[in-house]
Amino acid sequence: MSFLTAEEVDALLAAPNASRRWEGRRDRALITLAVQTGLRLSELIGLNNSDVQLDAGAHVSFPRFVGAVVTCFDN
């Protein structure tokens, strides 16, 4: 298994066009979430608003999966 280098992550984060209204911001947010949490694509697209907590101790939780996986990420 290989991981992305810091340069590859920076290139991914720079790719979305933030000046393209909400689409660029959405794409950057999803890429950031994937990079910081290690979520798989199926987990990213299956997220609901209630799965993401943005207050103190921000995290993404998956209560519908057995084992209630919780992934924490930096604010």
Side-chain angles (χ1 to χ4, degrees):
M1 176 183 293
S2 62
F3 298 94
L4 295 174
T5 65
E7 293 81 19
E8 291 169 328
V9 170
D10 290 341
L12 279 174
L13 291 173
N17 184 352
S19 66
R20 213 177 141 216
R21 298 190 328 236
W22 67 272
E23 294 97 339
R25 291 189 301 271
R26 174 207 57 203
D27 294 348
R28 183 176 170 86
L30 285 172
I31 293 169
T32 301
L33 182 61
V35 168
Q36 288 186 354
T37 63
L39 293 175
R40 296 176 292 213
L41 180 59
S42 61
E43 295 166 335
L44 280 172
I45 62 173
L47 285 176
N48 295 317
N49 290 342
S50 61
D51 296 331
V52 180
Q53 303 297 317
L54 298 176
D55 52 359
H59 65 278
V60 177
S61 61
F62 300 94
R64 62 190 168 279
F65 297 131
V66 176
V69 177
V70 176
T71 303
C72 296
F73 56 95
D74 295 330
N75 291 345

